[in-house]
Amino acid sequence: MVYLKDIKPDEYTTYFHSYLNLIDKDSSIENVLQQSLNKTLDFINTIDKPLDYRYESGKWSIGQVIQHNIDTERVFAYRALRFLRGDDTPLSGFDQDVFVDSLGDYAFAKAELLKSIESTRNATIALFENVTENSLLFKGNASGNIMTARVIPFLIAGHNLHHENVIRDRYLS
């Protein structure tokens, strides 16, 4: 079982410290994604503002922030798949603003977002269910940064929590 406290500083770039610092160091790969999913579903169900609400002109809507989390998880899960399979081909980054801008003024339905979150997360959990220690330790290159596959579940959960905190602080307060 791999815990966040087992992750070494050379397994990710310092850019990700803020996300990893949001996660309990005693969390394991086996539980961090499921616990994060449960908390996310509960949190989204408490949102009583319209999902097209923006706290300021030019900022993402609540729905766009949630979709950003889903898209980012999909990108990170793809990176994990490549790393778990030993593919050392450098992977390009992605422009989060292009992803969000492509959504336009899409009318997000809470039920559809919840379904997408759950299916995406279940696929990510399944990806990490039957992996070897060696495959978890493989270091891949994404966006010019070296990282191991085993840090990715913690990054996904931390990134998700970061944006949920932004929603709480800027959109719901």
Side-chain angles (χ1 to χ4, degrees), residues 102-156:
S102 74
L103 298 170
D105 289 326
Y106 181 76
F108 293 96
K110 189 182 283 189
E112 289 302 314
L113 282 174
L114 290 168
K115 179 180 171 185
S116 187
I117 290 164
E118 196 160 13
S119 62
T120 299
R121 181 58 55 87
N122 285 334
T124 303
I125 290 169
L127 176 65
F128 282 94
E129 282 181 339
N130 296 301
V131 295
T132 66
E133 183 64 28
N134 284 342
S135 66
L136 286 170
L137 289 170
F138 183 84
K139 289 184 180 177
N141 182 331
S143 304
N145 298 302
I146 302 300
M147 68 175 65
T148 60
R150 74 182 191 163
V151 75
I152 292 176
F154 302 107
L155 293 176
I156 289 169

Side-chain angles (χ1 to χ4, degrees), residues 57-120:
S57 177
K59 297 296 182 181
W60 295 351
S61 69
I62 294 171
Q64 287 173 321
V65 173
I66 294 168
Q67 186 63 54
H68 165 72
N69 276 349
I70 296 166
D71 290 346
T72 300
E73 178 162 345
R74 289 173 172 155
V75 169
F76 271 74
Y78 174 71
R79 291 174 179 178
L81 174 64
R82 297 279 299 266
F83 299 167
L84 288 166
R85 300 301 184 256
D87 186 345
D88 63 0
T89 306
L91 303 175
S92 64
F94 73 104
D95 186 331
Q96 66 182 12
D97 293 317
V98 169
F99 275 48
V100 171
D101 289 347
S102 74
L103 298 170
D105 289 326
Y106 181 76
F108 293 96
K110 189 182 283 189
E112 289 302 314
L113 282 174
L114 290 168
K115 179 180 171 185
S116 187
I117 290 164
E118 196 160 13
S119 62
T120 299

Side-chain angles (χ1 to χ4, degrees), residues 6 11 22 31 42 50 65 108-109 114 122-123 140 144 146 149 153 170 172:
D6 298 328
E11 295 185 53
L22 294 172
N31 68 29
D42 289 345
V65 173
F108 293 96
L114 290 168
N122 285 334
I146 302 300
R170 298 186 184 163
L172 304 179

Side-chain angles (χ1 to χ4, degrees), residues 14-84:
T14 57
Y15 173 82
F16 294 120
H17 278 176
S18 61
Y19 299 144
L20 295 176
N21 286 337
L22 294 172
I23 303 300
D24 180 349
K25 301 300 181 221
D26 290 321
S27 295
S28 68
I29 289 176
E30 290 79 4
N31 68 29
V32 72
L33 291 171
Q34 186 62 54
Q35 289 174 357
S36 170
L37 172 61
N38 296 342
K39 290 177 182 177
T40 294
L41 295 175
D42 289 345
F43 170 65
I44 292 173
N45 278 314
T46 68
I47 296 174
D48 59 358
K49 288 196 177 184
L51 296 180
D52 64 351
Y53 173 75
R54 299 166 193 264
Y55 70 90
E56 188 177 292
S57 177
K59 297 296 182 181
W60 295 351
S61 69
I62 294 171
Q64 287 173 321
V65 173
I66 294 168
Q67 186 63 54
H68 165 72
N69 276 349
I70 296 166
D71 290 346
T72 300
E73 178 162 345
R74 289 173 172 155
V75 169
F76 271 74
Y78 174 71
R79 291 174 179 178
L81 174 64
R82 297 279 299 266
F83 299 167
L84 288 166

